[in-house]
């Protein structure tokens, strides 16, 4: 794994000045593969061992923190919708102002690829990252060798909705105290995990603790969620 790099995104598609933190696995001469994480999740949730395993199969693995998470820029100077506005948007289709779109986040990926001199790559996204990956395939097909969309959605309003308990936990305000925030994060991941496989509490706890040390923002999560709700159907 390379050391964390922090770069300024200055390409023509970028709408606001920001920095993106990234690191890589494997050698640059191999086929590039870009990993895009989901809502409020940092690049470390693509765990080191997982990334190294992919690299050993002949890929140059690139992972990064989306805007508003981890070590990348937080867009704190932009309007942030509150929970009531997000609920009204999600349930009633109300139009709310948003600080940026999923397309803007897809453009962040394109800018990062350009900075790394990667003309095209395999694009892998999880959850919100899958949505961003889909937009990349739609808007920049020439840059996509393949699309892998994990536990994601096209945004079609007729699709099955998430369990209400999951949504409520997702929208629950992040506790300000570290210990309570970490406990809340672990419980949320336990909910997403389901009951089929045994939940690895220790592994998840280490990840959540590491994420807190790198930086978290409840407002950033709301801004990302607003971008998801405002996105058009990608079917």
């Amino acid at each position: 794994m390379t050391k964390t790099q922090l770069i300024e995104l200055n390409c023509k598609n970028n709408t606001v000045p920001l920095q993106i933190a990234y690191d890589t696995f494997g050698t640059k001469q191999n086929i590039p593969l870009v990993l895009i994480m989901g809502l409020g999740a940092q690049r470390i949730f693509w765990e080191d061992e997982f990334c190294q395993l992919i690299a050993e199969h002949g890929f140059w693995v690139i992972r990064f923190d989306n805007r508003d998470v981890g070590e990348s820029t937080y867009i704190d100077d932009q309007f942030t919708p509150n929970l009531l506005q997000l609920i009204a948007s999600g349930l009633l289709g109300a139009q709310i102002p948003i600080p940026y779109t999923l397309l803007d986040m897809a453009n962040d990926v394109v800018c990062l690829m350009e900075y790394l001199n990667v003309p095209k790559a395999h694009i892998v996204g999880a959850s919100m990252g899958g949505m961003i990956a889909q937009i990349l395939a739609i808007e920049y097909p020439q840059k996509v060798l393949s699309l892998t969309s994990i536990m994601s959605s096209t945004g079609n309003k007729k699709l099955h909705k998430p369990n209400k308990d999951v949504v409520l936990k997702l929208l629950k305000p992040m506790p300000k105290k570290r210990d309570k925030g970490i406990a809340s994060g672990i419980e949320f991941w336990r909910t997403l995990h389901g009951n089929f496989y045994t939940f690895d509490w220790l592994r998840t706890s280490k990840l959540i603790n590491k994420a807190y040390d790198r930086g978290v923002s409840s407002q950033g999560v709301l801004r990302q969620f607003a971008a998801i709700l405002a996105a058009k159907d990608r079917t």
Side-chain angles (χ1 to χ4, degrees), residues 87 163-173 188:
I87 291 171
N163 184 289
K164 289 183 179 179
D165 291 339
V166 175
V167 175
L168 289 174
K169 286 186 178 181
L170 175 66
L171 294 176
K172 187 178 179 180
F188 179 65

Side-chain angles (χ1 to χ4, degrees), residues 100-106 128 131-132 135 224 227-228 231 234:
Y100 52 80
T101 66
L102 291 183
L103 176 58
D104 291 325
M105 300 183 78
M128 180 189 72
M131 301 173 192
I132 295 169
I135 291 174
Q224 289 186 351
I228 291 173
R234 293 170 297 280

Side-chain angles (χ1 to χ4, degrees), residues 43-117:
R43 70 181 191 269
I44 59 172
F45 284 88
W46 300 110
E47 295 177 75
D48 292 357
E49 296 82 2
F50 172 77
C51 295
Q52 187 59 46
L53 184 63
I54 298 176
E56 290 171 1
H57 281 74
F59 296 95
W60 186 41
V61 180
I62 303 161
R63 66 177 186 178
F64 67 97
D65 287 331
N66 285 305
R67 57 171 73 189
D68 266 332
V69 298
E71 297 174 315
S72 292
T73 297
Y74 295 86
I75 318 296
D76 291 327
D77 59 343
Q78 300 289 319
F79 169 80
T80 302
N82 59 42
L83 287 176
L84 287 177
Q85 289 172 316
L86 289 175
I87 291 171
S89 175
L91 296 180
L92 305 175
Q95 297 294 315
I96 60 172
I98 60 171
Y100 52 80
T101 66
L102 291 183
L103 176 58
D104 291 325
M105 300 183 78
N107 286 332
D108 293 347
V109 184
V110 172
C111 291
L112 176 60
M113 290 174 63
E114 291 180 358
Y115 175 84
L116 295 173
N117 295 315

Side-chain angles (χ1 to χ4, degrees), residues 55 110 138 150:
V110 172
I138 294 167
I150 304 168

